Amino acid sequence: MDRPSGAFQDPNVPPEGEALSRQERRRVLSMARLSLSFLAFIIVVVVGLSALQSFGVARIFDWLTPSMRRDLEWKTQRGAVELAQTAQLGMLVKDPAAIRAAAADYLNDADIVKLVVVDAAGNVLLEHGSARVDLARLFKAPRAKAHDQEHTYAAWADSQLEGVDAGRVALFVSQARLDAGLDLRRRMLVTAAGSCFVAILFGLLYVAFYLRPILRMTAQAFHTLERTTEAALAATRLKSEFLANMSHEIRTPMNGIIGVLDLLNRTVLNSKQQRYTQTIDASARSLLTIIDDILDFSKLEAGKFAVRSDDVEVRQMVQEVAELLAPRAHAKGIELVHRVASDVPHAIRGDVDRIKQVLTNLVGNGVKFTEKGHVEVRITAEGSEQAPLLRCSVTDTGLGIKKEDQAKLFGVFSQVDGSLTRKYGGTGLGLAISKRLVEAMGGEIGLDSEPGHGCTFWFTLPAKPSALTRTANELESRDCRVLVIGKDEAQRDFICDLVTSWGMTYAVTDTATRALALVMEADPRPFDVAVVDGSFESTDSDAQMLFDLCASEDLPVARLLATTQTARATDGGGRQLFLTKPVRVSELYNGLISLVDRLPLVRKVRASDPVRLEREPERSSERPMILVVDDNEINRLVAGELLNDFGYASDTACDGAQAIEKVTQTTYAAILMDCQMPGMDGLEATRRIRALPAPKSATPIIALTAHALAGDRDRVLEAGMDDYTPKPVRARALEKLLERWVRSDDSLAPGPSSARATVAADRAVPASEPPSESVQGAAPTGLELDSTVPRSPRLIELFLEQSPPLIEAIRAAAAAGTLEEVRRLAHKLKGNCLSLGVVWMANASNEIEQAAGQGKLDTLGIGRLPALMVAARDLLEALDTGRTAPNGGA
């Protein structure tokens, strides 16, 4: 709520979001406080250093003085005893010269200040030194010990020969060295104290005449910085709000433009109309890409980007990127090849959306700047076992980049060719965003290139281990001989590597002439199948002759067609299978086996292919009902038409309040909810729907919003929505969302969907009955699919992709003891099974769900899920490849 303009604001209370009050800032930035603080700091440092110096000096002399004292005492005592022995003869004969000769070393010692030798009668035989000493006092002291006598150490010893007293020796050693050390200690301590005082004086002068003006300028700079920071924060808030509003305002009409174009493209158009709509669609999507780049860059600049941690299925992610960009590459006549090394893990932990964004950006750049040849995506494993890395590289056959220009590429708004007449457009943000995203995820990005030899952009990411494991579905080795025919070397190598990994042998060529010769050669073993790349048949005039020869030789052919070829592909004769590039590994393997084993063939056409598929409309009463909530009439029209094309019935509401009213009166399979609407918005409407009694509260709610800034996804999920997709809504993305939340759980749909679930439950085999062992192509005894449930190849493929990881997640949740997670995942698995008519597995999932809901863990049921999945896979794959199931389903 905004504060009224006349409201009082305490100047000492910080406004919202401000770290310090004005009073605190004045205290912190006070010039006097800063000066005194700095001076106190100088004094503490100087005094501390002086004290440390004094302590060190004292410790040194405390260590040296006792040692020096012991040395002088030892010299005094030892000298007296030694002279009493060496001068003994001289004392007996009373010969001063002999005594002097024996005491020569001591006479030359600077420490000896007095040496006196007397005979037995006390007569002085030798006296050395001028120091005044008290011999009588010394001789009364104990013999052969050092005694302290007024700055000297003195000792005496007597000399006896066979009991006869020869005389005495008195030795006096100076303590001058000891006194000099003590005087040096005193002088050093006095010097340290004086230096400390001088340093403090100079510190005071330094603060007063030099530092104080600097502190004054610093305080002023702080105040200026504070004002500019507040202005910058206010501008940032306004920019964020502006971006959010602009995102919403731009995406809303863009959703209408792109949505209506999607609907128009689904109708029958002549060639000129198709060309016009394709031009408009390409322009609209280019504009949307620019908007997304600017929004992403703004989020990264503002530090709003947060790395998510999800399970990333590496091969599936690369396949999706390749399928997304393949039409663009094929339209330019270039190949798009992707390879994932065998040692790359099935899944890693990371931000799948951002990794895909970077990879899409690099592949898109490669396609844009390549005029002929190919773009190849390689995924390899690097690093050590302790720090594994995932390396993604994108290599093109374009013109290449000079060394001096490579540094510009990852800069903001930067391109190698910045002139107005440059051939390729773009904002120059793509690589800058990619660099920041990769670095935010803990990786590195770079490129290797030479002019005329193309470019290789690469990035590495930490390959954090994931609990998601690949289902045990290894492709069996087959003893086959394959003829590989293709123009592009990278595409040929890709196919040859695959057939080699499957235990097959091959011959490879790039011309029809050589291919004809290879087929006709007399060989002990002819080819079992031929793989023909679409780029070959579109450039070689003898391609039809090759197909005719293959037909006459009864050699089956797998034709790999570009997305631009699928619509006009014609049967070349003989036994042929059509596959769309970029071809999936399992798709190619199953196709080759079907050709070799003479199984029924199904042409594989994916949703990305530009082929118009006419869907026979279902009766409205049999279609799941979807509620579309949006205040924009065009958006409601677009969503309704798309839902009709997908096979759903639709109802509409203009705001949140109307949506709640309709939900209380009608049961919907799902709700498509806009977020920003006048009156009650989508977030509040979702909260109120979740507060309704079951089963209304469990209706899947998918956010379709024009907001695309950081945090929007988290906000809609926190409000209770199940999923999220930004506008403009892509038809394929919406269809996949509905497959996930509606098709995968028919129990939520009204009418016949619920009836199918009931029939499936009635036909279910008791969960306690284990599946029997089966052979290839035959259904397990006692298990069959519900023949009343319609199935599409795509739905079967989706089930086989999603269910094994779901089973592993259930087992992991059971091991962790999280019953609520077990219940939720089992419910989802049950819905997946019912949508395909896999009734025995749905029944087992239901029992696991019910047990978890009662606080129990159905360990036996969870342990049987993998075996039940194997049985389901055998039956569904038999249907998907055209084989007849025991119940007659197809």
Side-chain angles (χ1 to χ4, degrees):
M1 181 175 180
D2 293 334
R3 181 171 57 86
S5 58
F8 172 75
Q9 174 69 36
D10 187 348
N12 294 325
V13 176
E16 183 179 355
E18 195 172 306
L20 295 175
S21 68
R22 292 180 178 87
Q23 183 178 1
E24 289 173 327
R25 289 199 303 274
R26 282 197 299 269
R27 186 179 73 250
V28 171
L29 298 177
S30 168
M31 187 173 62
R33 290 178 61 89
L34 290 173
S35 300
L36 291 176
S37 299
F38 196 80
L39 182 59
F41 172 75
I42 292 177
I43 292 174
V44 169
V45 171
V46 171
V47 171
L49 291 176
S50 299
L52 182 63
Q53 179 184 2
S54 300
F55 176 77
V57 169
R59 289 291 297 173
I60 291 172
F61 280 97
D62 286 344
W63 175 73
L64 290 176
T65 300
S67 176
M68 192 181 300
R69 181 180 290 111
R70 287 193 298 270
D71 180 58
L72 293 176
E73 289 177 350
W74 180 80
K75 177 185 285 190
T76 304
Q77 178 180 330
R78 175 178 172 276
V81 174
E82 184 179 13
L83 283 175
Q85 295 177 354
T86 57
Q88 187 179 64
L89 184 59
M91 286 186 286
L92 284 175
V93 296
K94 298 180 181 181
D95 184 359
I99 296 173
R100 184 177 294 276
D105 293 337
Y106 291 92
L107 297 178
N108 295 325
D109 192 335
D111 288 336
I112 306 300
V113 296
K114 192 73 172 181
L115 175 62
V116 180
V117 180
V118 299
D119 58 11
N123 299 316
V124 177
L125 299 178
L126 177 65
E127 183 176 4
H128 170 73
S130 59
R132 298 181 63 183
V133 295
D134 189 351
L135 286 177
R137 176 185 170 191
L138 174 63
F139 288 148
K140 291 179 181 180
R143 61 179 295 278
K145 287 186 179 181
H147 306 284
D148 189 354
Q149 290 187 354
E150 296 180 1
H151 304 295
T152 61
Y153 287 109
W156 70 275
D158 57 352
S159 177
Q160 293 183 354
L161 184 62
E162 296 180 358
V164 178
D165 189 3
R168 295 180 180 181
V169 176
L171 184 67
F172 297 85
V173 178
S174 174
Q175 295 183 6
R177 281 196 293 162
L178 190 61
D179 294 338
L182 295 175
D183 184 62
L184 178 61
R185 173 182 178 179
R186 180 183 59 80
R187 290 174 180 273
M188 291 181 69
L189 293 178
V190 170
T191 302
S195 300
C196 177
F197 175 77
V198 173
I200 292 175
L201 180 61
F202 274 102
L204 179 61
L205 296 175
Y206 176 78
V207 170
F209 295 103
Y210 182 76
L211 195 60
R212 190 175 178 84
I214 295 178
L215 293 176
R216 184 185 299 110
M217 295 174 60
T218 303
Q220 294 173 353
F222 266 111
H223 289 301
T224 303
L225 179 61
E226 180 185 21
R227 290 193 297 271
T228 56
T229 301
E230 289 176 352
L233 290 175
T236 300
R237 285 193 294 269
L238 289 175
K239 185 180 78 169
S240 299
E241 294 172 2
F242 172 77
L243 285 174
N245 292 331
M246 287 301 297
S247 170
H248 185 272
E249 295 302 322
I250 293 175
R251 286 174 179 274
T252 297
M254 288 294 294
N255 182 59
I257 294 171
I258 295 179
V260 172
L261 281 172
D262 281 341
L263 297 176
L264 187 60
N265 281 325
R266 291 171 178 267
T267 63
V268 179
L269 304 173
N270 61 38
S271 59
K272 182 180 291 186
Q273 291 170 333
Q274 287 182 11
R275 188 166 63 254
Y276 290 164
T277 57
Q278 289 170 359
T279 302
I280 298 172
D281 184 73
S283 299
R285 295 187 188 279
S286 296
L287 176 59
L288 187 62
T289 299
I290 295 173
I291 295 171
D292 288 337
D293 282 348
I294 294 174
L295 290 176
D296 280 340
F297 181 74
S298 299
K299 286 184 282 188
L300 289 166
E301 281 286 288
K304 299 291 185 181
F305 173 73
V307 178
R308 302 171 64 89
S309 183
D310 305 308
D311 289 316
V312 183
E313 296 185 61
V314 179
R315 289 165 178 81
Q316 179 180 343
M317 177 192 67
V318 176
Q319 180 70 38
E320 290 175 355
V321 172
E323 290 179 1
L324 175 67
L325 297 172
R328 192 187 307 175
H330 295 159
K332 295 184 67 174
I334 61 177
E335 291 293 332
L336 180 56
V337 183
H338 63 283
R339 300 191 193 184
V340 181
S342 58
D343 58 344
V344 171
H346 169 63
I348 63 172
R349 295 290 294 177
D351 192 329
V352 60
D353 293 331
R354 295 309 185 179
I355 298 175
K356 187 183 294 185
Q357 179 180 353
V358 174
L359 191 58
T360 302
N361 196 333
L362 298 184
V363 177
N365 271 357
V367 172
K368 180 166 69 172
F369 293 102
T370 302
E371 296 300 328
K372 61 180 180 179
H374 63 266
V375 175
E376 183 177 10
V377 183
R378 282 182 178 267
I379 312 296
T380 56
E382 291 186 350
S384 62
E385 185 176 350
Q386 293 74 23
L389 294 175
L390 190 72
R391 182 183 179 90
C392 307
S393 60
V394 179
T395 303
D396 62 57
T397 54
L399 297 177
I401 303 173
K402 298 177 181 177
K403 290 288 185 182
E404 57 269 22
D405 292 331
Q406 294 179 10
K408 304 177 185 177
L409 286 178
F410 295 103
V412 179
F413 305 112
S414 175
Q415 290 183 329
V416 172
D417 182 4
S419 65
L420 296 176
T421 58
R422 68 185 186 273
K423 183 177 181 180
Y424 305 103
T427 62
L429 285 175
L431 290 176
I433 292 172
S434 298
K435 177 179 175 64
R436 298 196 183 195
L437 289 176
V438 170
E439 291 175 348
M441 292 184 287
E444 293 181 300
I445 189 170
L447 79 153
D448 303 311
S449 178
E450 292 182 7
H453 295 82
C455 298
T456 297
F457 284 88
W458 56 266
F459 65 94
T460 59
L461 293 173
K464 300 176 183 177
S466 168
L468 194 62
T469 57
R470 188 202 302 264
T471 307
N473 187 22
E474 297 296 334
L475 301 178
E476 297 180 358
S477 297
R478 291 296 300 266
D479 184 17
C480 298
R481 191 160 184 254
V482 183
L483 175 61
V484 180
I485 309 166
K487 286 292 184 183
D488 187 79
E489 182 180 3
Q491 183 77 359
R492 293 197 309 268
D493 292 344
F494 169 63
I495 298 171
C496 292
D497 289 346
L498 287 180
V499 298
T500 301
S501 68
W502 299 330
M504 305 175 184
T505 58
Y506 67 87
V508 62
T509 182
D510 61 348
T511 64
T513 303
R514 178 58 179 159
L516 290 168
L518 288 172
V519 173
M520 292 186 296
E521 277 179 358
D523 194 286
R525 181 181 176 185
F527 293 104
D528 297 295
V529 65
V531 179
V532 180
D533 185 26
S535 62
F536 158 79
E537 57 182 277
S538 63
T539 56
D540 199 309
S541 58
D542 294 333
Q544 186 57 47
M545 186 184 304
L546 174 64
F547 291 142
D548 293 340
L549 178 62
C550 291
S552 65
E553 296 288 333
D554 196 24
L555 176 64
V557 177
R559 296 170 61 180
L560 311 184
L561 303 178
T563 53
T564 54
Q565 296 175 299
T566 54
R568 61 177 184 271
T570 57
D571 194 341
R575 182 175 172 80
Q576 296 187 11
L577 174 66
F578 298 85
L579 299 174
T580 305
K581 295 188 295 185
V583 66
R584 301 177 183 176
V585 175
S586 59
E587 201 173 86
L588 178 59
Y589 176 84
N590 291 332
L592 295 181
I593 298 304
S594 298
L595 289 171
V596 173
D597 293 347
R598 306 291 172 169
L599 299 175
L601 300 179
V602 177
R603 174 170 174 164
K604 299 288 185 181
V605 180
R606 292 196 287 271
S608 60
D609 301 341
V611 181
R612 301 189 183 278
L613 301 178
E614 298 295 334
R615 186 196 304 267
E616 181 180 353
E618 304 174 39
R619 294 195 305 274
S620 178
S621 60
E622 296 181 352
R623 296 187 292 173
M625 180 72 73
I626 310 294
L627 176 62
V628 179
V629 187
D630 201 307
D631 62 313
N632 187 289
E633 183 179 358
I634 296 178
N635 290 344
R636 294 198 300 271
L637 172 64
V638 170
E641 292 293 333
L642 287 176
L643 291 173
N644 184 65
D645 282 355
F646 298 157
Y648 301 96
S650 64
D651 192 7
T652 60
C654 298
D655 57 29
Q658 188 177 0
I660 294 173
E661 181 181 354
K662 292 202 171 192
V663 169
T664 57
Q665 298 172 358
T666 308
T667 300
Y668 296 101
I671 301 172
L672 304 181
M673 181 76 74
D674 187 24
C675 289
Q676 182 171 315
M677 295 180 290
M680 185 185 297
D681 63 19
L683 302 180
E684 179 61 27
T686 299
R687 296 186 187 98
R688 298 195 182 187
I689 292 173
R690 293 301 184 222
L692 294 175
K696 304 285 189 182
S697 61
T699 306
I701 302 178
I702 301 170
L704 303 182
T705 175
H707 289 290
L709 293 178
D712 289 329
R713 179 184 180 90
D714 295 334
R715 278 195 294 273
V716 301
L717 296 181
E718 289 172 2
M721 297 188 186
D722 296 289
D723 218 323
Y724 163 96
T725 185
K727 296 177 183 177
V729 178
R730 305 293 176 89
R732 179 57 182 158
L734 180 58
E735 187 175 17
K736 290 180 69 176
L737 282 175
L738 293 174
E739 285 178 358
R740 180 187 306 167
W741 294 105
V742 180
R743 297 297 192 195
S744 65
D745 195 350
D746 285 344
S747 62
L748 297 175
S753 298
S754 298
R756 284 201 301 272
T758 304
V759 171
D762 291 339
R763 295 170 58 89
V765 177
S768 59
E769 179 181 343
S772 303
E773 295 183 359
S774 60
V775 296
Q776 179 72 18
T781 305
L783 301 180
E784 59 182 18
L785 300 173
D786 182 358
S787 60
T788 66
V789 177
R791 308 172 188 87
S792 67
R794 176 55 183 158
L795 195 56
I796 293 174
E797 181 181 3
L798 201 63
F799 175 83
L800 295 178
E801 286 178 358
Q802 294 183 352
S803 296
L806 199 54
I807 292 174
E808 291 300 323
I810 292 174
R811 298 174 68 180
T818 53
L819 291 175
E820 177 58 29
E821 184 71 3
V822 171
R823 186 200 64 76
R824 185 185 68 81
L825 295 172
H827 177 77
K828 186 174 182 180
L829 180 61
K830 178 184 71 174
N832 290 356
C833 296
L834 290 176
S835 66
L836 269 295
V838 187
V839 290
W840 66 89
M841 195 167 170
N843 195 44
S845 302
N846 183 64
E847 290 193 0
I848 296 171
E849 177 190 359
Q850 297 299 325
Q854 298 170 5
K856 303 176 183 177
L857 194 61
D858 185 1
T859 307
L860 180 61
I862 295 174
R864 293 175 55 251
L865 286 178
L868 297 178
M869 184 64 211
V870 172
R873 182 187 300 109
D874 290 342
L875 290 174
L876 291 173
E877 286 183 345
L879 293 179
D880 193 26
T881 55
R883 288 178 284 181
T884 303
N887 64 345

